[in-house]
Amino acid sequence: MYNSHAFKFALVLSALFCAPFIVANMYFVDDIARAMNGYSALSPLGRPLADVILHSLNFNAERIADIAPLTQIVCAPVLAIAVYFAAKGIFGTVGIKEVLIASPVAINPFFIQNLAYKFDSLPMSTGVMCVCVGFYLCTTRKGTNLVGSAILLISALCLYQPVTNTFFGLVACYIASM
């Protein structure tokens, strides 16, 4: 069952976590080269869905434009969805307490650098969301959901490979909560 209060709480937490990067609006590492040259070139790094997201935000243009902080603004609801589904997968029901407990899945100091990237923040956040929704589908124990879960985990690999470690952490939390 959907709990709108819990999702709104997750959204507020995510927005507060993303706010400093939205306000700062500064370039980080390879953002400068991407802003100057308009390349994405993430497919050769094993992240073809990241290229798809970046090009679709730029209406499939050959060169990507600097549309920040839009990418970082969109990260807030994406991370809220991730936290919501992580909580739902671990606990079965979702309330404010469960959201607060599950929030480190997306709102943690290790994800700060990912949000600092203007261009890559959205694909990385979407990868976290894919893992969390895929984990939730695994916990429902239906055969058709396992296929959807596998597709989401493969999608997460195509967005940002290190995010798949989150899946193992969620499984460990699920086992510990039993």
Side-chain angles (χ1 to χ4, degrees):
M1 181 174 202
Y2 173 71
N3 184 337
S4 66
H5 294 297
F7 181 75
K8 288 174 188 173
F9 183 67
L11 187 57
V12 167
L13 286 177
S14 299
L16 288 173
F17 187 64
C18 295
F21 304 101
I22 295 166
V23 172
N25 200 20
M26 54 189 271
Y27 294 106
F28 186 71
V29 188
D30 52 340
D31 284 338
I32 296 170
R34 288 199 177 128
M36 288 182 357
N37 301 325
Y39 74 92
S40 60
L42 294 168
S43 291
L45 300 174
R47 298 175 57 197
L49 288 181
D51 273 341
V52 169
I53 288 174
L54 292 175
H55 284 286
S56 64
L57 285 173
N58 288 276
F59 301 104
N60 216 15
E62 185 177 321
R63 304 181 94 174
I64 59 173
D66 182 5
I67 56 172
L70 178 64
T71 52
Q72 292 162 321
I73 291 170
V74 174
C75 286
V78 168
L79 291 176
I81 293 168
V83 168
Y84 186 87
F85 277 99
K88 193 163 178 82
I90 294 169
F91 301 109
T93 61
V94 182
I96 291 176
K97 179 182 75 171
E98 289 82 7
V99 164
L100 193 58
I101 293 170
S103 65
V105 85
I107 302 167
N108 66 67
F110 301 112
F111 202 67
I112 288 174
Q113 183 175 354
N114 299 47
L115 283 176
Y117 287 98
K118 284 181 160 191
F119 292 93
D120 291 344
S121 59
L122 184 58
M124 291 176 186
S125 298
T126 306
V128 171
M129 184 190 69
C130 286
V131 166
C132 292
V133 174
F135 167 74
Y136 165 71
L137 290 177
C138 279
T139 62
T140 59
R141 299 187 181 136
K142 293 180 184 171
T144 55
N145 287 350
L146 292 177
V147 172
S149 179
I151 290 169
L152 286 168
L153 290 175
I154 291 168
S155 298
L157 279 170
C158 293
L159 287 163
Y160 184 57
Q161 296 88 355
V163 84
T164 54
N165 292 327
T166 306
F167 183 79
F168 300 115
L170 289 170
V171 169
C173 290
Y174 179 74
I175 291 169
S177 72
M178 294 178 88

Coordinates of all heavy atoms in Angstrom, one line a residue, residues 32-72:
I32 N 33.6 20.1 -16.6 CA 34.1 21.3 -17.4 C 34.2 20.9 -18.9 O 33.8 21.6 -19.8 CB 35.4 21.8 -16.8 CG1 35.1 22.3 -15.4 CG2 36.0 22.9 -17.7 CD1 36.4 22.7 -14.6
A33 N 34.9 19.7 -19.1 CA 35.1 19.3 -20.5 C 33.8 19.0 -21.1 O 33.6 19.3 -22.3 CB 36.0 18.1 -20.5
R34 N 32.9 18.4 -20.4 CA 31.6 18.1 -21.0 C 30.8 19.3 -21.4 O 30.1 19.4 -22.4 CB 30.7 17.2 -20.1 CG 31.3 15.8 -20.0 CD 30.3 14.8 -19.5 NE 30.9 13.5 -19.6 CZ 30.9 12.7 -18.6 NH1 30.4 13.0 -17.4 NH2 31.5 11.5 -18.7
A35 N 30.9 20.3 -20.5 CA 30.2 21.6 -20.8 C 30.8 22.3 -22.0 O 30.1 22.9 -22.7 CB 30.2 22.5 -19.5
M36 N 32.1 22.2 -22.1 CA 32.8 22.9 -23.2 C 32.6 22.2 -24.5 O 32.4 22.8 -25.5 CB 34.3 23.1 -22.9 CG 34.5 24.1 -21.8 SD 36.3 24.5 -21.4 CE 37.2 23.4 -22.3
N37 N 32.7 20.9 -24.5 CA 32.7 20.1 -25.7 C 31.4 19.4 -26.1 O 31.2 19.0 -27.2 CB 33.9 19.1 -25.7 CG 35.2 19.7 -25.5 OD1 35.5 20.8 -26.0 ND2 36.1 19.0 -24.8
G38 N 30.5 19.3 -25.1 CA 29.2 18.7 -25.3 C 29.2 17.2 -25.5 O 28.3 16.7 -26.1
Y39 N 30.3 16.5 -25.1 CA 30.3 15.0 -25.2 C 29.8 14.3 -24.0 O 29.8 14.9 -22.9 CB 31.7 14.6 -25.5 CG 32.6 14.6 -24.3 CD1 32.8 13.4 -23.5 CD2 33.4 15.7 -24.0 CE1 33.6 13.4 -22.4 CE2 34.2 15.7 -22.9 CZ 34.3 14.6 -22.1 OH 35.1 14.6 -21.0
S40 N 29.3 13.1 -24.2 CA 28.9 12.3 -23.0 C 29.9 11.1 -22.9 O 30.5 11.0 -21.9 CB 27.5 11.9 -23.1 OG 27.2 11.1 -24.2
A41 N 30.0 10.4 -24.0 CA 31.0 9.3 -24.1 C 31.0 8.4 -22.9 O 32.1 8.0 -22.4 CB 32.4 9.9 -24.4
L42 N 29.9 8.0 -22.4 CA 29.8 7.0 -21.2 C 29.7 5.6 -21.7 O 29.9 4.7 -21.0 CB 28.8 7.4 -20.3 CG 29.0 8.8 -19.6 CD1 27.8 9.2 -18.8 CD2 30.2 8.7 -18.6
S43 N 29.2 5.4 -22.9 CA 29.0 4.0 -23.4 C 30.3 3.2 -23.5 O 30.3 2.1 -23.1 CB 28.4 4.1 -24.8 OG 27.0 4.5 -24.7
P44 N 31.4 3.8 -23.9 CA 32.7 3.0 -23.9 C 33.1 2.6 -22.5 O 33.9 1.7 -22.3 CB 33.7 4.0 -24.5 CG 32.9 4.9 -25.3 CD 31.6 5.1 -24.6
L45 N 32.6 3.3 -21.5 CA 32.9 3.0 -20.1 C 31.9 2.0 -19.5 O 31.9 1.8 -18.3 CB 32.9 4.3 -19.2 CG 33.9 5.4 -19.6 CD1 33.7 6.6 -18.8 CD2 35.3 4.9 -19.5
G46 N 31.1 1.4 -20.3 CA 30.1 0.4 -19.9 C 28.8 1.0 -19.3 O 28.1 0.4 -18.6
R47 N 28.5 2.3 -19.7 CA 27.3 3.0 -19.2 C 26.5 3.5 -20.3 O 26.2 4.7 -20.4 CB 27.8 4.1 -18.3 CG 28.6 3.6 -17.1 CD 29.2 4.7 -16.2 NE 28.1 5.6 -15.8 CZ 28.3 6.8 -15.3 NH1 29.6 7.3 -15.2 NH2 27.3 7.6 -14.9
P48 N 26.0 2.6 -21.2 CA 25.2 3.1 -22.3 C 23.9 3.7 -21.9 O 23.4 4.7 -22.6 CB 25.0 1.8 -23.1 CG 25.1 0.7 -22.2 CD 26.1 1.1 -21.2
L49 N 23.2 3.3 -20.8 CA 22.0 3.9 -20.4 C 22.2 5.3 -19.9 O 21.3 6.1 -20.0 CB 21.2 3.0 -19.4 CG 20.6 1.8 -20.0 CD1 19.9 1.0 -18.9 CD2 19.7 2.1 -21.1
A50 N 23.4 5.6 -19.4 CA 23.7 6.9 -18.9 C 23.7 7.9 -20.1 O 23.2 9.0 -20.1 CB 25.0 7.0 -18.2
D51 N 24.3 7.4 -21.2 CA 24.3 8.2 -22.5 C 22.8 8.4 -22.9 O 22.5 9.5 -23.4 CB 25.1 7.5 -23.6 CG 26.5 7.8 -23.5 OD1 26.9 8.9 -22.9 OD2 27.3 7.1 -24.1
V52 N 22.0 7.4 -22.8 CA 20.6 7.5 -23.3 C 19.9 8.6 -22.4 O 19.2 9.4 -23.0 CB 19.9 6.2 -23.1 CG1 18.4 6.3 -23.3 CG2 20.4 5.2 -24.1
I53 N 20.1 8.6 -21.1 CA 19.5 9.6 -20.3 C 20.0 11.0 -20.6 O 19.2 11.9 -20.8 CB 19.7 9.3 -18.8 CG1 18.9 8.1 -18.4 CG2 19.4 10.5 -17.9 CD1 19.2 7.6 -16.9
L54 N 21.3 11.2 -20.8 CA 21.8 12.5 -21.1 C 21.4 13.0 -22.4 O 21.0 14.2 -22.6 CB 23.4 12.5 -21.0 CG 24.0 12.2 -19.6 CD1 25.5 12.1 -19.7 CD2 23.6 13.4 -18.7
H55 N 21.3 12.1 -23.4 CA 20.9 12.5 -24.7 C 19.4 12.8 -24.8 O 18.9 13.7 -25.5 CB 21.3 11.5 -25.8 CG 22.8 11.6 -26.2 ND1 23.3 12.7 -26.9 CD2 23.8 10.9 -25.8 CE1 24.6 12.5 -27.0 NE2 24.9 11.4 -26.3
S56 N 18.6 12.0 -24.0 CA 17.2 12.3 -24.0 C 16.8 13.6 -23.3 O 15.9 14.3 -23.7 CB 16.4 11.1 -23.4 OG 16.8 11.0 -22.0
L57 N 17.6 14.0 -22.3 CA 17.4 15.3 -21.7 C 17.7 16.4 -22.6 O 17.2 17.5 -22.5 CB 18.2 15.4 -20.4 CG 17.7 14.6 -19.2 CD1 18.8 14.7 -18.1 CD2 16.4 15.1 -18.8
N58 N 18.5 16.1 -23.6 CA 18.9 17.1 -24.6 C 18.2 16.9 -25.9 O 18.7 17.3 -27.0 CB 20.4 17.1 -24.8 CG 21.1 17.7 -23.6 OD1 21.3 18.9 -23.5 ND2 21.6 16.8 -22.6
F59 N 17.1 16.2 -25.9 CA 16.2 16.0 -27.0 C 17.0 15.2 -28.1 O 16.9 15.5 -29.3 CB 15.6 17.2 -27.6 CG 14.7 17.9 -26.5 CD1 15.2 19.0 -25.9 CD2 13.5 17.4 -26.2 CE1 14.4 19.6 -24.9 CE2 12.7 18.0 -25.2 CZ 13.2 19.1 -24.6
N60 N 17.9 14.3 -27.7 CA 18.7 13.5 -28.6 C 19.6 14.2 -29.5 O 19.9 13.8 -30.6 CB 17.7 12.5 -29.4 CG 18.4 11.2 -29.6 OD1 19.3 10.8 -28.9 ND2 17.8 10.4 -30.5
A61 N 20.0 15.4 -29.1 CA 21.0 16.1 -29.8 C 22.3 15.4 -29.8 O 22.7 14.6 -29.0 CB 21.2 17.5 -29.2
E62 N 23.1 15.7 -30.9 CA 24.5 15.1 -31.0 C 25.4 15.5 -29.8 O 26.1 14.7 -29.3 CB 25.1 15.5 -32.3 CG 26.4 14.8 -32.6 CD 27.0 15.1 -33.9 OE1 26.2 15.3 -34.9 OE2 28.2 15.3 -34.0
R63 N 25.3 16.8 -29.4 CA 26.1 17.3 -28.3 C 25.2 17.6 -27.2 O 24.1 18.1 -27.4 CB 26.9 18.5 -28.8 CG 27.7 18.2 -30.0 CD 28.5 19.4 -30.3 NE 29.8 19.3 -29.7 CZ 30.8 20.1 -29.8 NH1 30.6 21.2 -30.6 NH2 31.9 19.9 -29.2
I64 N 25.6 17.3 -26.0 CA 24.8 17.5 -24.8 C 25.0 19.0 -24.3 O 26.1 19.5 -24.4 CB 25.0 16.5 -23.7 CG1 26.4 16.5 -23.2 CG2 24.5 15.2 -24.1 CD1 26.6 15.6 -22.0
A65 N 24.0 19.6 -23.8 CA 24.1 20.9 -23.3 C 24.1 20.9 -21.8 O 23.7 19.9 -21.2 CB 22.9 21.8 -23.8
D66 N 24.6 22.0 -21.2 CA 24.7 22.1 -19.8 C 23.3 22.6 -19.3 O 23.0 23.7 -19.3 CB 25.8 23.0 -19.4 CG 26.0 23.1 -17.9 OD1 25.3 22.4 -17.1 OD2 26.8 24.0 -17.4
I67 N 22.5 21.6 -18.8 CA 21.2 22.0 -18.4 C 21.1 22.0 -16.8 O 20.0 22.0 -16.3 CB 20.1 21.0 -19.0 CG1 20.4 19.6 -18.6 CG2 20.0 21.3 -20.5 CD1 19.4 18.6 -19.0
A68 N 22.2 21.9 -16.2 CA 22.3 22.0 -14.7 C 21.7 23.3 -14.2 O 21.8 24.3 -14.9 CB 23.7 21.7 -14.3
P69 N 21.1 23.3 -13.1 CA 21.0 22.2 -12.1 C 19.8 21.3 -12.3 O 19.4 20.6 -11.4 CB 21.0 23.0 -10.8 CG 20.2 24.2 -11.1 CD 20.6 24.6 -12.6
L70 N 19.2 21.3 -13.5 CA 18.0 20.5 -13.7 C 18.3 19.0 -13.4 O 17.5 18.3 -12.7 CB 17.5 20.6 -15.1 CG 16.3 19.7 -15.5 CD1 15.1 20.1 -14.6 CD2 16.0 19.8 -17.0
T71 N 19.5 18.5 -13.8 CA 19.8 17.1 -13.5 C 19.9 16.8 -12.0 O 19.4 15.8 -11.6 CB 21.2 16.8 -14.2 OG1 22.1 17.7 -13.8 CG2 21.1 16.7 -15.7
Q72 N 20.4 17.8 -11.3 CA 20.5 17.6 -9.8 C 19.2 17.8 -9.1 O 18.9 17.2 -8.1 CB 21.6 18.5 -9.3 CG 23.0 18.0 -9.8 CD 24.0 19.1 -9.6 OE1 23.7 20.3 -9.8 NE2 25.2 18.7 -9.2

